[in-house]
Amino acid sequence: MKKSMGSLSAAVLRGAAAAGLTAALGVCAPLATAASAAAPTATPPGLSCETGKHAVDDYTGYALCRNNGGATQTFWVHLVCGWSPDVDGEQVTLNPGQSGQSTAHCAGLGTGIGEITVQP
């Protein structure tokens, strides 16, 4: 009878551990969803930009922008790089009417570019 009590206690402990893990995951899941649903920042006012990945390299991204405003503007591309640290491209300053490009490269350890944004 002692052996069956030990088995019963082990089963109760396993059930409690599984319930605790399920509860913990239930709390974390909404937090992860909310963080991943954050909207990317919009293109700064006065700039019209095209963003994308390099044609032959999924780890290199760019922002090609034109300054349609009446004042000088500075921008740079920001890449979200998956497992690798995020990176920023070089700052580009444009006078009204000028166009320019900022590029950046994610490290090869990650999964490539997950998101490309233009920063003011």
Side-chain angles (χ1 to χ4, degrees), residues 3-63:
K3 185 175 182 184
S4 65
M5 274 303 238
S7 296
L8 180 61
S9 296
V12 169
L13 286 175
R14 280 193 301 270
L21 178 59
T22 301
L25 290 175
V27 169
C28 293
L31 295 176
T33 303
S36 64
T41 56
T43 300
L47 291 177
S48 59
C49 299
E50 174 187 327
T51 61
K53 294 179 186 177
H54 190 278
V56 294
D57 181 6
D58 283 341
Y59 290 85
T60 300
Y62 67 87

Side-chain angles (χ1 to χ4, degrees), residues 5-111:
M5 274 303 238
S7 296
L8 180 61
S9 296
V12 169
L13 286 175
R14 280 193 301 270
L21 178 59
T22 301
L25 290 175
V27 169
C28 293
L31 295 176
T33 303
S36 64
T41 56
T43 300
L47 291 177
S48 59
C49 299
E50 174 187 327
T51 61
K53 294 179 186 177
H54 190 278
V56 294
D57 181 6
D58 283 341
Y59 290 85
T60 300
Y62 67 87
L64 175 60
C65 297
R66 177 174 173 79
N67 183 351
N68 294 322
T72 300
Q73 297 232 24
T74 299
F75 75 95
W76 62 92
V77 68
H78 176 77
L79 305 180
V80 176
C81 296
W83 295 341
S84 296
D86 297 350
V87 293
D88 290 326
E90 67 280 0
Q91 291 187 1
V92 178
T93 301
L94 302 174
N95 291 318
Q98 285 185 320
S99 295
Q101 179 173 308
S102 175
T103 59
H105 186 81
C106 291
L109 299 175
T111 54

